[in-house]
Amino acid sequence: LSMKALRRGAKGMRLARMPDAEREGIEPVVLAVYDDSLRALESMGAEIVEVALPHRFVEFAEMTGALIAMDGYPYLGHLVEDPSSPIDEEVRKRFKPAATKSSTDYLVLLQKRERMRRAMEAALAGVDALLTPTVPTTAIPVADVATTSIVPAHFTRVVNMLGGCALAVPNGLSSSGLPTSLHIVCGPGEEETA
């Protein structure tokens, strides 16, 4: 979002809510604060709209994981393949599949990423931003980060994959005082300054 747009405030902005199908697996408190944020923005004059996204957020997370593994394996493969190396087993599991991938597999993945990028840009044309929670939970113990079914980067991977810009804005606290935040993904064509 441009500084000029931010100074204008929410009035007149078209903001896309995340699709209902993406609400599954998100902690109730995170959803409640997210919904409160949408109502607050609407009360400030923003138009909250539904947008049909061509891909699920999990698809972007899977794509990112595959690309990270394929990009990193040439540098880390010797450590991944050595059972005595001091690598966390969760990290080893993420990189190991890249051992059997070819350069053709990698190029096909890059082409798929480009198709996904174009489809998402088309879906978000006409909105100023897409709004999601930043993460699906409040803070969790570090030991649980790699073992949960939805990873903390669930909603932020789309920005990594698209090479776009985003902003995480604190928007509330759980009853135990743990913070939540609103993830604002700039629409296509927006200036990448904030």
Side-chain angles (χ1 to χ4, degrees):
L1 295 171
S2 68
M3 289 304 292
K4 184 178 178 183
L6 289 172
R7 288 189 186 102
R8 274 197 321 262
K11 188 171 185 175
M13 285 189 162
R14 295 189 80 235
L15 304 173
R17 71 173 68 243
M18 69 177 172
D20 287 342
E22 298 291 349
R23 295 172 72 89
E24 184 179 330
I26 303 174
E27 283 186 359
V29 66
V30 173
L31 282 175
V33 175
Y34 169 76
D35 291 338
D36 288 345
S37 295
L38 295 182
R39 284 189 288 274
L41 287 163
E42 198 167 37
S43 74
M44 289 184 249
E47 179 186 4
I48 306 298
V49 298
E50 301 284 340
V51 173
L53 298 180
H55 299 284
R56 299 285 309 263
F57 288 101
V58 70
E59 291 178 71
F60 286 100
E62 290 168 355
M63 170 75 72
T64 302
L67 283 172
I68 288 171
M70 291 174 79
D71 282 339
Y73 191 83
Y75 304 101
L76 302 173
H78 65 288
L79 296 172
V80 170
E81 300 301 333
D82 178 359
S84 67
S85 65
I87 293 180
D88 182 278
E89 286 308 309
E90 290 296 324
V91 173
R92 192 181 311 273
K93 280 188 231 176
R94 289 183 207 142
F95 281 90
K96 188 91 169 153
T100 60
K101 301 297 181 185
S102 68
S103 58
T104 300
D105 296 329
Y106 183 70
L107 292 174
V108 166
L109 202 57
L110 291 179
Q111 290 170 348
K112 180 179 178 184
R113 178 181 67 177
E114 182 59 21
R115 287 191 304 273
M116 289 172 74
R117 184 189 66 75
R118 285 193 310 265
M120 284 294 282
E121 284 183 352
L124 295 176
V127 298
D128 294 297
L130 168 65
L131 307 178
T132 69
T134 304
V135 293
T137 67
T138 56
I140 59 176
V142 172
D144 294 344
V145 169
T147 59
T148 59
S149 61
I150 296 182
V151 297
H154 180 75
F155 291 115
T156 59
R157 290 292 192 214
V158 66
V159 179
N160 301 136
M161 286 291 300
L162 301 179
C165 64
L167 179 66
V169 179
N171 66 342
L173 297 171
S174 71
S175 59
S176 58
L178 294 171
T180 62
S181 64
L182 183 67
H183 189 234
I184 304 168
V185 180
C186 298
E190 289 295 315
E191 294 176 41
E192 295 187 12
T193 58

